[in-house]
């Protein structure tokens, strides 16, 4: 038996430590319990004639890695023409300039229609800039817009199998309206989620 305070070896018949005077408590079978196979070692602690096997969960556990891929790729076209990011930027800019010009125009004919084109032109301009820089944009729960290496725009479907259950992985947008983030989330268990990095996808 050892003192729990100074760790000095004690006589089993002692009730108090002969070194520091701490009350001794004999170890019985009731005091021996099973735990979670963990051990706590202090800075000044020593371990003699013992072997400790530490089991840690590997960092590359397959259940911690989610794999996704493009299940569908469809060119985004308008009037039979495959859209490009540069087209969105220029057409959006022209639409916005035309809308602003109609506000100060002395002719009222068609000015209302030009004003209605302002939100559409602004959306096209912002979308073109975003795709030019990041090559990827996610909208709502199902719509992904991507730009290829030739600046052509595609509508894609990105999915995968959940490594933790039998659910399917899909892209979802979470967070406040002004700071939404795209994540990979399981359709069966919403707690199974991963951060999403569009750069892991192969170039179109």
């Amino acid at each position: 038996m050892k003192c729990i305070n100074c760790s000095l070896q004690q006589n089993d018949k002692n009730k108090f430590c002969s070194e520091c005077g701490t009350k001794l408590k004999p170890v019985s079978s009731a005091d021996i319990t099973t735990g979670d196979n963990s051990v706590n070692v202090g800075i000044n602690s020593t371990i003699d004639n013992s072997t400790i096997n530490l089991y840690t969960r590997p960092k590359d556990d397959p259940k911690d890695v989610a794999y996704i891929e493009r299940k569908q790729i469809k060119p985004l076209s308008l009037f039979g023409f495959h859209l490009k990011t540069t087209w969105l930027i220029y057409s959006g800019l022209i639409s916005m300039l035309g809308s602003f010009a109609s506000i100060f125009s002395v002719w009222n004919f068609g000015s209302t229609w030009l004003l209605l084109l302002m939100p559409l032109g602004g959306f096209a301009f912002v979308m073109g800039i975003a795709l030019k820089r990041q090559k990827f944009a996610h909208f709502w729960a199902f719509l992904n817009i991507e730009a290829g290496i030739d600046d052509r725009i595609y509508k894609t479907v990105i999915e995968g199998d959940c490594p933790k259950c039998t659910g399917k992985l899909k892209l979802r947008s979470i967070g406040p309206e002004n700071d939404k983030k795209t994540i990979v989330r399981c359709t069966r268990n919403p707690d199974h989620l991963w951060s999403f990095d569009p750069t892991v996808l192969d170039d179109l």
Side-chain angles (χ1 to χ4, degrees):
M1 182 170 59
K2 289 186 178 182
C3 175
I4 60 174
N5 184 44
C6 65
S7 301
L8 183 68
Q9 189 70 34
Q10 302 292 321
N11 191 311
D12 293 339
K13 295 182 180 180
N14 291 352
K15 293 185 178 180
F16 297 90
C17 177
S18 58
E19 178 68 23
C20 64
T22 302
K23 185 176 181 180
L24 303 175
K25 181 181 178 183
V27 179
S28 63
S29 60
D31 296 325
I32 301 175
T33 59
T34 59
D36 59 355
N37 298 325
S38 64
V39 60
N40 295 323
V41 180
I43 297 177
N44 298 322
S45 302
T46 58
I47 301 175
D48 298 324
N49 300 323
S50 299
T51 300
I52 297 179
N53 297 320
L54 299 178
Y55 297 94
T56 59
R57 189 177 184 184
K59 292 183 179 180
D60 55 348
D61 192 320
K63 290 188 177 181
D64 289 336
V65 181
Y67 296 95
I68 56 175
E69 61 180 341
R70 295 187 186 94
K71 297 291 185 179
Q72 186 180 33
I73 302 174
K74 185 177 181 180
L76 196 61
S77 303
L78 183 64
F79 302 116
F81 294 97
H82 194 170
L83 295 180
K84 290 186 176 182
T85 56
T86 50
W87 296 0
L88 288 182
I89 295 173
Y90 292 140
S91 62
L93 186 60
I94 292 173
S95 297
M96 289 190 298
L97 291 177
S99 299
F100 281 118
S102 67
I103 297 176
F104 303 101
S105 175
V106 294
W107 295 283
N108 294 325
F109 179 76
S111 59
T112 303
W113 293 104
L114 290 174
L115 287 175
L116 293 177
L117 290 176
M118 183 181 292
L120 184 60
F123 176 79
F125 179 76
V126 172
M127 175 59 62
I129 294 293
L131 290 175
K132 191 75 172 177
R133 292 179 178 177
Q134 301 178 359
K135 303 294 184 182
F136 183 91
H138 174 70
F139 296 94
W140 305 293
F142 58 91
L143 182 58
N144 306 308
I145 304 297
E146 297 187 62
I149 56 177
D150 57 354
D151 278 347
R152 296 183 185 275
I153 303 175
Y154 301 86
K155 182 173 67 173
T156 63
V157 176
I158 299 175
E159 295 179 353
D161 296 323
C162 181
K164 296 184 177 182
C165 67
T166 58
K168 291 291 183 181
L169 298 178
K170 294 182 180 293
L171 298 185
R172 294 291 184 266
S173 296
I174 61 172
E177 193 64 33
N178 59 344
D179 187 26
K180 285 190 175 296
K181 295 181 179 179
T182 303
I183 62 168
V184 180
R185 171 172 279 176
C186 176
T187 56
R188 183 179 181 186
N189 189 334
D191 291 334
H192 297 168
L193 54 88
W194 293 261
S195 58
F196 173 66
D197 181 10
T199 60
V200 302
L201 298 171
D202 295 331
D203 292 331
L204 289 171

